[in-house]
Amino acid sequence: MKKLIYLSLSFFATYAFAQDVSEERVKTVISTLASDEMKGREIGTPENDKAAEYIAKLFKENNLEYCTGKSYLVPFDYQGKTAYNVCGIKKGKSEKILGFSGHFDHIGSNDKPGDNIYNGADDDASGITTLVGIADYFKNKKPEFSMVFMAFNGEEKGMLGSIAISEDKKLDHIYNNLSALFNFEMVATESEFGKNTVFITGDEFSDLDELFNQNAVNSLKIHPDPYAKQQLFYRSDNVSFVKKKIIAHSISTADMSKIKHYHQANDDMSIVNSENMTQIINNFAKTLEKLSPKNFNPKYNDKVKFN
């Protein structure tokens, strides 16, 4: 009998562990997006299209549904050419939706000798890896919320992709039910608050962080924005959805006081803390597993500016 009990406990422990996103998976996704072969993923280049197609492949692996049409690739015009955002849906128990986003484009390369590729591992292959990790975690689960996963293009050129997709009327069926959007922007390093921590831009504008922290598992914590004077809330893709009066904040770990890889050629795998990223992804996903429309319905206050 004792042996049977032990085997049962071992089975459940193994099953629970097996659902965690592995560090190897995290390394694979971020290193693929930040590889030299992607040449910095600048919008309008074949490598940018390749990155979009890779993300679409990852969405397919997670059995996500199309947001619109017959593809994960959602086209928009960029200087007379077709560029793509990537969008996938996970149906949950409720029609209410939580959104997860990041941008996959970066700034390309330069003509200098030596290392001339801006790989953009932190900015923002890390954000895409995080949302893919959350999709991985929920692949065989049915969460309380439905989920939308959006990989934006053209952020580096003025948030072009998030503006385009936020204005796409074919996606209003999603936006009308979108309770909150978590936009992951530079999460490859350890934050100034330590391991297993992130900060949120614009924390003073809504109660999203308080509601999330009330349910957070394994000591994960969202801290207030330590760089509020820089107004990062209005300087990333989340603002395209703020203008629609949708709760939308960016989540980051970037220590702006000492960061030296921002828009530099050394923003590559050498600066990535994959162990910390993996911990954050899994604890974020486990916290999301506890959220439902009953205990998570964040609201803006009167401090936010929608225009």
Side-chain angles (χ1 to χ4, degrees):
M1 181 63 73
K2 288 182 179 179
K3 187 175 182 180
L4 285 174
I5 292 172
Y6 173 77
L7 288 173
S8 297
L9 290 173
S10 297
F11 171 79
F12 286 117
T14 302
Y15 182 72
F17 178 77
Q19 296 191 23
D20 280 7
V21 179
S22 71
E23 186 176 354
E24 195 60 37
R25 170 68 163 178
V26 170
K27 286 181 179 178
T28 297
V29 174
I30 192 170
S31 63
T32 299
L33 287 169
S35 66
D36 284 354
E37 288 73 19
M38 289 291 188
K39 297 183 179 178
R41 309 184 304 278
E42 186 171 12
I43 187 173
T45 66
E47 291 77 20
N48 179 272
D49 290 344
K50 183 179 178 181
E53 291 164 1
Y54 174 65
I55 297 164
K57 173 178 171 288
L58 298 175
F59 283 8
K60 184 177 181 179
E61 288 176 5
N62 279 304
N63 300 323
L64 300 183
E65 297 180 15
Y66 302 138
C67 291
T68 181
K70 297 181 179 180
S71 174
Y72 298 113
L73 301 177
V74 182
F76 67 98
D77 180 76
Y78 173 68
Q79 296 184 347
K81 300 179 181 178
T82 300
Y84 299 96
N85 291 303
V86 193
C87 189
I89 282 278
K90 167 84 177 180
K91 290 293 179 63
K93 297 176 184 178
S94 169
E95 291 185 359
K96 291 294 184 180
I97 300 170
L98 293 181
F100 308 95
S101 64
H103 71 90
F104 67 88
D105 67 298
H106 199 50
I107 58 173
S109 60
N110 62 52
D111 297 326
K112 298 178 181 178
D115 184 5
N116 67 341
I117 296 174
Y118 300 106
N119 301 88
D122 195 10
D123 186 14
D124 188 31
S126 65
I128 298 300
T129 302
T130 300
L131 69 89
V132 168
I134 292 171
D136 285 349
Y137 183 88
F138 284 99
K139 179 178 181 178
N140 298 313
K141 294 175 178 285
K142 195 173 182 69
E144 293 293 329
F145 277 100
S146 293
M147 297 178 168
V148 61
F149 299 88
M150 293 184 284
F152 303 133
N153 202 348
E155 190 270 352
E156 301 289 1
K157 301 293 187 182
M159 300 177 286
L160 301 180
S162 62
I163 291 170
I165 200 168
S166 70
E167 295 176 349
D168 191 333
K169 295 298 182 183
K170 295 190 294 294
L171 296 175
D172 278 351
H173 66 286
I174 294 174
Y175 303 146
N176 291 339
N177 286 301
L178 189 55
S179 295
L181 177 70
F182 297 85
N183 183 60
F184 297 104
E185 178 73 73
M186 298 180 69
V187 288
T189 58
E190 185 179 320
S191 85
E192 66 179 73
F193 303 105
K195 292 179 170 61
N196 197 36
T197 63
V198 298
F199 70 86
I200 182 175
T201 63
D203 60 280
E204 70 271 28
F205 299 136
S206 85
D207 57 353
L208 181 145
D209 53 337
E210 289 95 332
L211 294 175
F212 186 93
N213 285 338
Q214 287 172 13
N215 293 279
V217 304
N218 299 331
S219 300
L220 174 68
K221 186 171 182 179
I222 298 180
H223 286 266
D225 185 358
Y227 317 108
K229 291 182 179 179
Q230 298 187 32
Q231 294 194 317
L232 300 175
F233 178 77
Y234 296 108
R235 293 169 52 194
S236 191
D237 285 311
N238 63 288
V239 76
S240 299
F241 293 84
V242 174
K243 291 177 179 179
K244 296 175 72 69
K245 298 187 177 180
I246 293 170
I247 299 289
H249 296 263
S250 289
I251 303 293
S252 183
T253 63
D255 187 342
M256 306 298 284
S257 66
K258 60 181 180 182
I259 198 168
K260 294 183 179 179
H261 59 265
Y262 177 67
H263 282 193
Q264 300 298 316
N266 67 331
D267 183 4
D268 54 28
M269 287 300 294
S270 66
I271 58 89
V272 174
N273 186 332
S274 57
E275 180 181 2
N276 188 55
M277 274 190 69
T278 304
Q279 184 180 24
I280 288 172
I281 289 168
N282 283 308
N283 288 338
F284 212 97
K286 289 173 184 177
T287 301
L288 293 169
E289 212 167 6
K290 295 173 63 180
L291 302 184
S292 74
K294 292 182 179 179
N295 66 12
F296 191 75
N297 186 26
K299 302 290 185 184
Y300 281 126
N301 55 42
D302 57 6
K303 296 179 182 178
V304 68
K305 296 177 182 178
F306 294 112
N307 296 308

